[in-house]
Amino acid sequence: MKNSPLHSELSHHLHGVLTELHRRPYPHVPNPPSCTKRASVALIIRIKPTYEHWPSFTSLVDQSLPIEQRLDEFFAQPWVQHGDPEVLFIKRASRVGDRWTGHVALPGGKRDPEDVDDRAAAIREASEEIGLDLTTEDCISIGNLPERVVTTSWGSVPLMVLCPFVFLTTRSDSPTLQLQPTEVASTHWIPLRALLSRSLRTVEYVDVSQRFTKQGGLFTRLAVRSLVGWMEFPAVRLLPSETVQCTSIPGFIPDEHSGSTSLLQRFKSWCVNNNHAESGDATRPLLLWGLTLGIFADFLDMLPPHTAVQLYRYPTFTAPDLRFISGILTYHLRKYNSKKASMSIHISDTAVDGEATVTTSNGSNQALIDNTPGNSYALGILLHGYYDRLRTAIWVFLAWRMALGSAAAVTAWRFYSRRS
């Protein structure tokens, strides 16, 4: 497997990718009939100068020039050519009842009625959440990544249309960020080299028992978890080059009662939350996974060593027998989908997360694959039909466990009957 490219190589390839994204905007995806919400996120890129090629001054690119020419002039600067491309992520603030507490994401949120379009929503949300103005002359609006329909329950209920937009800040220094305490706990600049690194690939463990027992209570969830275990999703461990903490958020400095939680409360917290003691805890590792990783997967695959999709690991379960059954029932589908994914073109739509399934429509690519909407992008192709097979695997697994339990009960009854 090839290693991540050097600074100069990556900057050169990023120039080509951004130019291509601007030339070939992805189509607008309308809302499904039963869904009215739309949301936008901002993928913000900067070039961090290296020590040996630090700029003596910042040269602003003429904003009146066409975007492709602005990109050409920006990437022609020596400090940019030798710089280290980075992407800005946020860590969500801790909020009671928020399933995404403490998770890594992109700045963004729901589109408001006063937003003129989806891009305006991304710009407004970035300004509100992190205090970054994406309309200034030192920022270039590149274009969009594929719009996608986000659904829950493994694809059955549409929630919203998510619209990712790409921005490039041309400043050589770090922009001043003003974090919204109720939304953002911290921001992190992550080098693209780290996102491309094979060594930082890992998994995130998620409790999915609430999906099956929403009304069942604590003990029902414990029973389900004891059967299926946790669910594993692919993830990337993030190594920030620069971090800004929102020090005004509650809990940034632990109070004197922070460690006084009773044993019963800790046990209940473990039972109903993820495998981390508190998902909003400052000690929670920075992991890129789920929907945000889905946005990045194909974008990263455009860059050397072009292995972001190849390194993708299918979601599975920690229970050994369920994991085995799932592997058998999805084996041929995974092989088939992998062949189809190899046919996908250079710039493609992006797809799926652990908590939400994502589909998009891209008519320009669709004929290359098949006529099923949302299957023309690498991760969408890989995961097409996969969650349906997982549902089947769960039913087979439950039948297997029931048969195993029944056999064990009959064996025990016969054993004690002979002894008596």
Side-chain angles (χ1 to χ4, degrees), residues 20 103 120 122 124 140 164 205 223 243 258 274 284 328 346 359:
E20 190 70 9
H103 284 245
R124 176 184 54 77
I140 302 176
Y205 296 95
T243 294
S258 60
N274 202 338
R284 175 185 171 86
I328 292 177
H346 175 63
T359 59

Side-chain angles (χ1 to χ4, degrees), residues 196 201 296-298 300-301 305-312 379:
L196 291 166
R201 291 279 167 161
F296 271 89
D298 287 341
L300 293 175
D301 205 58
H306 307 291
T307 57
V309 173
Q310 179 184 344
L311 293 175
Y312 181 82
L379 290 187

Side-chain angles (χ1 to χ4, degrees), residues 50-289:
T50 57
Y51 181 81
E52 295 82 3
H53 298 89
W54 205 268
S56 57
F57 63 93
T58 300
S59 177
L60 294 179
V61 181
D62 187 356
Q63 196 174 21
S64 64
L65 295 175
I67 288 181
E68 287 190 35
Q69 189 172 344
R70 293 177 67 188
L71 289 173
D72 291 342
E73 290 194 7
F74 174 70
F75 281 97
Q77 299 177 84
W79 72 268
V80 176
Q81 294 176 351
H82 295 88
D84 203 3
E86 298 182 338
V87 178
L88 182 64
F89 293 93
I90 66 171
K91 181 179 180 181
R92 297 185 183 276
S94 177
R95 294 188 295 185
V96 177
D98 183 4
R99 67 191 297 183
W100 307 115
T101 284
H103 284 245
V104 171
L106 295 171
K110 296 178 182 177
R111 176 175 171 176
D112 288 345
E114 60 267 22
D115 295 323
V116 295
D117 54 24
D118 296 315
R119 175 177 168 274
I123 293 173
R124 176 184 54 77
E125 287 287 343
S127 177
E128 293 176 355
E129 290 188 346
I130 61 175
L132 183 59
D133 187 356
L134 298 176
T135 64
T136 58
E137 62 180 356
D138 56 9
C139 186
I140 302 176
S141 177
I142 302 299
N144 67 319
L145 292 173
E147 299 179 358
R148 58 213 70 211
V149 179
V150 180
T151 66
T152 58
S153 302
W154 291 355
S156 61
V157 181
L159 287 179
M160 68 182 75
V161 176
L162 179 62
C163 310
F165 292 87
V166 181
F167 300 88
L168 173 68
T169 174
T170 60
R171 298 175 55 164
S172 59
D173 59 339
S174 298
T176 301
L177 302 180
Q178 183 181 2
L179 310 189
Q180 167 56 261
T182 60
E183 300 285 343
V184 180
S186 56
T187 59
H188 307 270
W189 287 103
I190 310 295
L192 279 179
R193 290 183 297 113
L195 294 170
L196 291 166
S197 172
R198 182 191 184 100
S199 63
L200 295 178
R201 291 279 167 161
T202 182
V203 295
E204 169 74 331
Y205 296 95
V206 177
D207 176 21
V208 294
S209 61
Q210 71 271 20
R211 297 186 182 185
F212 310 108
T213 58
K214 292 183 178 180
Q215 307 298 326
L218 174 61
F219 292 102
T220 305
R221 289 187 59 182
L222 281 174
V224 172
R225 185 186 295 180
S226 67
L227 286 173
V228 303
W230 301 90
M231 198 167 181
E232 289 182 7
F233 293 97
V236 177
R237 184 164 58 90
L238 300 183
L239 295 179
S241 68
E242 180 181 332
T243 294
V244 176
Q245 300 282 352
C246 187
T247 58
S248 61
I249 63 173
F252 175 75
I253 300 177
D255 57 37
E256 58 183 3
H257 303 293
S258 60
S260 60
T261 307
S262 68
L263 184 61
L264 178 61
Q265 288 174 320
R266 293 180 184 179
F267 175 73
K268 185 175 181 180
S269 176
W270 179 87
C271 292
V272 300
N273 289 329
N274 202 338
N275 57 332
H276 302 290
E278 292 290 342
S279 58
D281 195 329
T283 61
R284 175 185 171 86
L286 287 174
L287 294 181
L288 176 63
W289 72 286

Side-chain angles (χ1 to χ4, degrees), residues 322-391:
L322 178 54
R323 191 187 192 105
F324 178 73
I325 294 171
S326 300
I328 292 177
L329 293 183
T330 62
Y331 176 77
H332 291 293
L333 177 70
R334 287 184 281 118
K335 297 286 285 185
Y336 176 71
N337 286 353
S338 295
K339 292 181 180 179
K340 290 172 62 178
S342 65
M343 298 168 55
S344 61
I345 63 175
H346 175 63
I347 292 185
S348 54
D349 301 0
T350 310
V352 178
D353 77 336
E355 294 292 303
T357 304
V358 182
T359 59
T360 80
S361 177
N362 187 348
S364 62
N365 299 345
Q366 197 62 55
L368 294 176
I369 311 299
D370 56 30
N371 294 321
T372 306
N375 292 335
S376 57
Y377 47 89
L379 290 187
I381 298 168
L382 290 176
L383 287 164
H384 178 57
Y386 181 75
Y387 283 105
D388 292 334
R389 298 290 178 91
L390 281 190
R391 291 191 191 95

Side-chain angles (χ1 to χ4, degrees), residues 27-57:
H28 171 75
V29 174
N31 285 75
S34 59
C35 175
T36 59
K37 294 181 181 179
R38 298 183 72 86
S40 299
V41 294
L43 194 164
I44 303 168
I45 302 172
R46 76 172 183 183
I47 308 295
K48 185 178 181 180
T50 57
Y51 181 81
E52 295 82 3
H53 298 89
W54 205 268
S56 57
F57 63 93

